[in-house]
C-alpha cells in the first residue's frame, strides 16, 4: 500500500537535497517538494493533519522534541457504523446526564505528542466533553453528547490525524480486572504501611536490647507490634491463607501453603512470646514478608495481563459490524457478533471482512497480509474462500458466511495467542518458593540458636536469636532480581528496545533457537531493483516511461535511478498485469513482464539468455526498444545490510538461527543463501497456524525466540518463549510481543541478546552476594559473634550493595 | 518518657489516615493508568480548555 501512495505523488524525478515534512519529519519525495514554500508535506494525509492543527491554533504540537515520525495515512473510511444502534448497544455507555462514553482502541499511538493530540483535537468538535488516552494500551475514552454530534465525526477526526479508531471489545472484562487490580494495590499499600511502622517499633526494641531499656517500654513495643501485625495478617495477608486453604481442599500443593504455614506459625509463636513476656517476636519480618510477596505477585500479574491485553486489542482490530443482504436484496447493518453461517455479506472496497466465507458474487483483490503475511494482494472471484480480517481492495463483493465470530480463522489464531500467553512459566513463582524456604530455614536456625545458647549462656540466648533474625532479613535477596531487571529495562528503553517483562530477559540470556520472519524483518519489506542487465543508454528511456506509473516496479526504478534526467514521453499505454509501452525520443519502448514484452518484441531470442542470468527468486522485468529486447531487471525485496552481520553475531553466541516465512520456498531459500544459512534452516510457505506449530515443536530445553512484524507471526510469537516485534511491525503484532525494537534492522536484536546476558550476570552477582552475606551473617550470629545492634547496621548495608551493583552495571546501550 | 503513650497512638492515627487516603485514591482510579499522566504533565499548559 505504501508504494502506491508514494508513487502517485511522485511526479518528477529530479534530485534535490532532502526536505523533511513539516508534520511528520520524514523526507518529502522530490516530486512533492514545493519550491519556495516554508511548509513541506510528504503526503496529503500530513497536509490535512497540519491544516487541522494550524487552523485551531494547536501549532504547539510542533514544538515537541519527540514526535511521531510516521506519515499520516488516513483510511478514508466514513465510520458510519459508529452511529448505528447496534454499535451503541454494544460499546457505548450512557450516563444519566445524557452524555455517552465509548472506549476506542487507536492504531499508531506511540508517544507524548500522541497523547497531546488525541486528548485535545476531539475537543474541537462541539459536543465532545472529553477525551482521555491510556498510552500503554492505546485506549482512548471519549465522552460526548450523542444528541449534538454523531460519533462517526469524532472517529473521522481521529482517523484524519493518523489514529484509526476501533471499538474496544473487552470493556466488561476490563471492569472486572480493574477491580482486581485496585484490591491488590490496596492490599500492597496497607501491608507496606504496616510493615514500615512495625519496623519502627522493631528498631526501638533492637536499640533497647543493646543500650538497655526499661521493661515497661519493652512490653509496650512488643504489644504495639502485635497490635500492628494482626491487621496485616487478617487483611492483606488473608490472600495467602485463602490460597492455602483452597489448595488443601483440592489436595494440591500450592506456593501459598508454605507461605501460610510460615506466617501462621511465626505469628502464633510471636503472640505467645509477647504474652508470656519472653523470647523473640517475628512480627517485623512477617509484615515485611507479606508486603514483598504481594509486590512480587502484583508485578507478575501485570506481566501476564500485558499478554492477555494484547490478544484483546488484536480482537478489536477485526470489524465490529457487518452489512448483511437478505433474499430480496435489501442490505442492513448488524453487529459482527450476530453473524450466522448462511448469511450473505455485502463487502465494499476498502472494508475488512467480518467473517470467513465463500465469494458468491463479484471479483476483487484481497489483501490477506493480516493472515498470511503475503504483501501482494490476491485475487478473489466466485467460489473462492475469503477470511475475516482480510481487506477487500478493489470491487464490491457478496460473500456467503461459513464461519463467524469465535470459529473464524482469525478468532482461532487469537485464542491460540491468549492460550500461549497463559501457559508461560512465571519467574516470580521461583522467587516466592525461595522466600518460603528461606523463611522456614531462618525460623529453624533461630530456634536452634536460641536452644544452644540457652544451654551455654542463658543470658545471651535471646540476643543471639534476634541478631540472626535481623541479619538474615531477606531484603537484599528480594531486591536482587527485580532491581537488576528494572534497571536493565530502563536502560534498554533508552536505546530503543522496549521489554515488557522480566522473564524475557532471563530467557534471552541463554542461547536457544531464534526464528526470523522474512518480510520486513530480514528484508526491507519493499520492492526494489536488485539487478540490472543492459546498457546504460536504456535507463533514461525506462525512467521516462515509469515516471507516472503507480506500480511498485515503477517506484523501484525511480528509487534506484533517482536524479537521472528523463526525456519526454508520448502516447503512454499502461496494460494492467503486463507493463507499460510508449514513445520516448522517437523510439518505441516497452517495459514489463517477459510475456508482455515478448508480444512487442516477438522475434528476439536473447530474452531467454537474459532471463537465465537472473535469480529465480526474483520478479523479472524486460525492456524492449524498437522491437528488440535490450535489457532485463530483477526486482525483489532486498536483504537488510545489517542482517548478515547480525545473524553471524547471533550464531557466534551459540544461537541457532532459522527463517520462518509465509513467502514462497524459493524466495526464502534465496534469503537463506544471502545469510549463509543451511537450507534446512529455512522454511517457506508457512501459514500462521503452521508457524505456531513449528515454534512449539522447537520447544525443549532451549528457549525459543520468534522475531516478526505481522499478525501472521502473532500466534507464533505468543507460543515462543519470547516474542520480539521489529520496527514498523503491525499494531497487532506489537501488542503480543514481549520485546519491541524501535530501531530498524536486526542490529537491535543482537544488542538485546547481549544486554540480556549482561543483566543475568548482574542478577547472579546480586544473588550470590546476598546469599553469601546471609550465610556468613547467620553463621556469625549463631556463633554469638554479632549483637542485635550490629546486625541492624549490617542489614541495610547488604541492600545498599545490591542497589549499587545493579545501578552501575552497563547492561544495555551502545557498544563501545 | 510517658509522652510515648500519647505520641505512639497519635502516630497510629496518622498511619490510619494515610492508609485511608491511599485506599480512597486507589478506588478513585488514581493508580489505574501509571504511564499516560507521566507524559501528559509535560504538556499540560495552554489550550486545554475548550475553545
Amino acid at each position: 500500500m505504501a508504494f502506491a501512495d508514494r508513487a502517485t505523488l511522485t511526479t518528477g524525478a529530479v534530485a534535490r537535497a532532502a526536505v523533511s515534512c513539516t508534520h511528520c519529519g520524514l523526507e518529502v519525495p522530490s516530486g512533492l517538494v514545493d519550491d519556495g514554500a516554508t511548509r513541506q508535506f510528504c503526503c496529503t494525509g500530513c497536509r490535512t493533519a497540519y491544516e487541522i492543527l494550524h487552523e485551531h491554533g494547536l501549532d504547539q504540537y510542533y514544538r515537541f522534541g519527540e514526535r511521531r515520525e510516521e506519515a499520516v495515512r488516513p483510511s478514508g473510511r466514513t465510520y458510519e457504523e459508529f452511529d448505528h444502534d447496534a454499535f451503541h448497544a454494544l460499546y457505548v455507555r450512557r450516563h444519566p446526564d445524557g452524555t455517552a462514553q465509548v472506549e476506542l482502541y487507536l492504531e499508531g499511538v506511540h508517544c507524548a505528542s500522541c497523547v497531546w493530540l488525541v486528548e485535545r483535537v476531539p475537543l474541537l468538535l462541539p459536543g465532545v466533553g472529553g477525551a482521555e488516552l491510556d498510552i500503554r494500551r492505546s485506549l482512548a475514552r471519549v465522552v460526548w453528547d450523542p444528541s449534538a454530534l454523531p460519533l462517526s465525526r469524532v472517529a473521522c477526526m481521529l482517523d484524519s490525524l493518523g489514529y484509526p479508531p476501533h471499538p474496544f471489545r473487552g470493556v466488561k472484562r476490563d471492569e472486572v480486572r480493574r477491580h482486581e487490580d485496585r484490591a491488590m494495590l490496596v492490599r500492597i499499600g496497607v501491608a507496606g504501611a504496616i510493615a514500615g511502622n512495625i519496623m519502627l517499633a522493631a528498631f526501638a526494641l533492637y536499640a533497647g536490647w543493646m543500650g538497655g531499656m526499661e521493661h515497661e517500654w519493652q512490653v509496650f513495643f512488643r504489644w504495639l507490634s502485635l497490635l500492628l501485625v494482626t491487621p496485616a495478617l487478617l487483611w492483606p495477608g488473608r490472600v495467602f491463607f485463602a490460597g492455602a486453604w483452597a489448595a488443601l481442599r483440592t489436595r494440591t500443593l500450592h506456593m501459598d501453603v508454605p507461605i501460610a504455614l510460615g506466617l501462621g506459625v511465626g505469628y502464633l509463636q510471636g503472640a505467645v512470646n509477647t504474652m508470656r513476656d519472653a523470647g523473640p517476636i517475628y512480627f517485623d519480618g512477617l509484615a515485611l514478608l507479606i508486603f514483598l510477596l504481594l509486590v512480587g505477585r502484583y508485578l507478575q500479574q501485570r506481566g501476564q495481563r500485558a499478554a492477555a491485553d494484547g490478544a484483546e486489542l488484536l480482537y478489536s482490530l477485526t470489524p465490529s459490524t457487518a452489512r448483511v443482504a437478505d433474499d430480496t436484496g435489501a442490505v442492513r447493518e448488524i453487529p459482527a457478533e450476530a453473524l450466522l453461517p448462511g448469511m450473505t455479506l455485502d463487502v465494499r472496497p476498502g472494508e475488512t471482512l467480518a467473517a470467513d466465507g465463500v465469494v458468491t458474487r463479484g471479483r476483487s483483490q484481497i489483501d490477506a497480509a493480516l493472515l498470511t503475511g503475503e504483501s501482494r494482494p490476491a485475487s478473489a472471484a466466485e467460489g473462492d474462500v475469503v477470511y475475516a480480517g482480510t481487506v477487500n481492495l478493489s470491487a464490491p463483493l457478496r460473500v456467503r458466511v461459513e464461519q463467524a465470530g469465535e470459529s473464524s480463522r482469525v478468532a482461532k489464531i487469537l485464542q491460540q495467542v491468549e492460550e500461549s500467553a497463559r501457559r508461560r512459566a512465571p519467574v516470580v513463582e521461583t522467587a516466592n518458593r525461595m522466600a518460603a524456604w528461606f523463611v522456614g530455614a531462618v525460623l529453624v536456625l533461630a530456634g536452634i540458636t536460641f536452644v544452644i545458647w540457652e544451654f551455654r549462656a542463658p543470658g545471651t540466648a535471646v540476643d543471639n536469636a534476634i541478631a540472626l533474625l535481623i541479619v538474615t532479613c531477606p531484603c537484599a535477596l528480594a531486591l536482587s532480581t527485580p532491581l537488576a531487571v528494572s534497571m536493565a529495562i530502563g536502560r534498554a528503553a533508552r536505546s530503543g528496545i522496549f521489554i515488557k517483562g522480566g522473564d524475557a530477559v532471563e530467557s534471552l540470556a541463554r542461547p536457544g533457537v531464534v526464528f526470523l520472519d522474512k518480510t520486513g524483518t530480514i528484508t526491507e519489506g519493499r520492492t526494489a531493483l536488485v539487478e540490472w542487465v543492459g546498457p546504460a543508454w536504456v535507463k533514461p528511456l525506462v525512467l521516462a516511461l515509469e515516471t507516472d506509473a503507480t506500480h511498485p516496479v515503477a517506484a523501484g526504478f525511480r528509487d534506484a535511478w533517482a536524479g537521472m534526467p528523463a526525456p519526454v514521453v508520448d502516447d503512454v499505454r499502461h496494460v494492467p498485469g503486463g507493463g507499460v509501452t510508449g514513445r520516448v525520443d522517437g523510439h518505441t519502448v516497452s517495459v514489463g513482464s517477459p510475456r508482455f514484452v515478448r508480444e512487442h518484441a516477438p522475434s528476439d531470442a536473447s530474452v531467454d539468455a537474459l532471463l537465465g542470468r537472473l535469480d529465480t527468486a526474483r520478479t523479472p522485468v524486460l525492456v524492449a526498444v524498437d522491437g528488440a529486447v535490450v535489457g532485463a531487471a530483477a526486482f525483489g525485496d532486498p536483504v537488510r545490510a545489517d542482517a548478515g552481520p547480525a545473524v553471524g553475531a547471533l550464531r557466534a553466541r551459540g544461537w541457532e538461527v532459522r527463517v520462518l516465512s509465509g513467502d514462497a520456498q524459493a524466495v526464502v531459500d534465496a534469503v537463506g543463501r544471502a545469510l549463509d544459512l543451511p537450507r534446512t534452516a529455512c522454511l517457506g510457505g508457512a501459514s500462521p497456524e503452521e508457524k505456531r506449530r513449528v515454534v512449539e515443536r522447537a520447544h525443549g530445553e532451549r528457549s525459543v525466540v520468534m522475531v516478526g512484524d505481522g499478525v501472521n507471526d502473532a500466534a507464533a510469537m505468543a507460543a515462543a518463549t519470547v516474542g520480539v516485534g521489529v520496527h514498523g511491525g503491525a499494531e497487532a503484532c506489537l501488542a503480543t510481543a514481549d520485546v519491541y525494537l524501535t530501531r530498524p534492522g536486526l542490529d537491535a536484536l543482537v544488542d538485546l541478546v547481549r544486554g540480556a546476558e549482561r543483566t543475568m550476570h548482574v542478577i547472579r552477582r546480586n544473588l550470590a552476594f546476598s546469599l553469601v552475606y546471609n550465610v556468613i551473617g547467620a553463621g556469625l550470629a549463631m556463633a554469638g559473634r554479632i549483637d542485635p545492634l550490629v546486625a541492624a547496621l549490617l542489614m541495610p548495608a547488604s541492600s545498599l550493595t545490591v542497589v549499587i551493583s545493579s545501578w552501575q552495571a552497563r547492561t544495555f546501550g551502545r557498544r563501545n | 518518657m510517658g509522652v510515648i503513650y500519647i505520641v505512639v497512638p497519635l502516630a497510629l492515627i496518622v498511619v490510619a489516615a494515610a492508609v485511608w487516603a491511599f485506599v480512597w485514591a486507589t478506588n478513585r482510579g488514581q493508580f489505574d493508568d501509571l504511564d499516560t499522566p507521566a507524559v501528559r504533565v509535560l504538556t499540560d499548559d495552554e489550550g486545554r480548555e475548550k475553545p
Side-chain angles (χ1 to χ4, degrees), chain A residues 83 88 94 97-100 122-130 143-154, chain B residues 50:
Chain A
D83 299 330
H88 278 237
R94 294 274 177 164
D97 60 351
T99 58
L123 296 183
L124 302 173
L125 295 169
V128 175
V143 178
W144 88 107
D145 179 5
S147 60
L149 180 83
L151 183 60
S152 58
R153 287 274 308 280
V154 182
Chain B
K50 281 192 77 169

Side-chain angles (χ1 to χ4, degrees), chain A residues 362-438:
Chain A
R363 173 181 287 273
S364 176
Q365 301 282 105
I366 297 280
D367 176 5
L370 182 85
L371 281 176
T372 59
E374 171 71 66
S375 44
R376 272 176 301 185
S379 60
E382 269 172 52
D384 284 344
V385 179
V386 287
Y387 294 104
T390 59
V391 184
N392 177 20
L393 291 177
S394 44
L397 284 179
R398 285 287 165 95
V399 175
R400 192 181 66 243
V401 177
E402 299 274 322
Q403 305 281 352
E406 296 284 293
S407 50
S408 70
R409 197 169 159 208
V410 68
K412 279 186 186 144
I413 293 179
L414 299 186
Q415 284 157 19
Q416 291 176 353
V417 168
E418 227 172 331
E419 212 175 281
S420 308
R422 263 205 307 271
R423 266 212 314 263
R424 267 191 211 157
V427 177
V428 182
E429 292 281 286
T430 339
N432 279 352
R433 194 165 33 221
M434 270 180 72
W437 283 113
F438 189 84

Side-chain angles (χ1 to χ4, degrees), chain A residues 209-230:
Chain A
W209 290 113
M210 229 352 248
M213 187 188 220
E214 278 173 48
H215 187 248
E216 182 194 352
W217 301 119
Q218 241 181 58
V219 173
F220 175 70
F221 279 110
R222 283 160 76 98
W223 278 96
L224 179 70
S225 301
L226 178 62
L227 179 75
L228 279 168
V229 82
T230 309

Side-chain angles (χ1 to χ4, degrees), chain A residues 297-309 421 424 500-503 738:
Chain A
R297 271 191 197 187
Y298 179 68
L299 293 177
Q300 173 193 350
Q301 200 181 53
R302 269 174 64 117
Q304 282 175 336
R305 197 148 286 183
D309 272 350
R424 267 191 211 157
K500 283 190 196 157
D503 33 357
D738 302 298

Side-chain angles (χ1 to χ4, degrees), chain A residues 119 133 135-136 182 216, chain B residues 5 32 35-36 40 43 50:
Chain A
E119 295 192 343
L133 181 72
I135 194 170
R136 191 171 59 82
R182 286 179 182 176
E216 182 194 352
Chain B
Y5 287 124
D32 285 354
D35 302 298
T36 322
R40 195 181 285 145
T43 65
K50 281 192 77 169

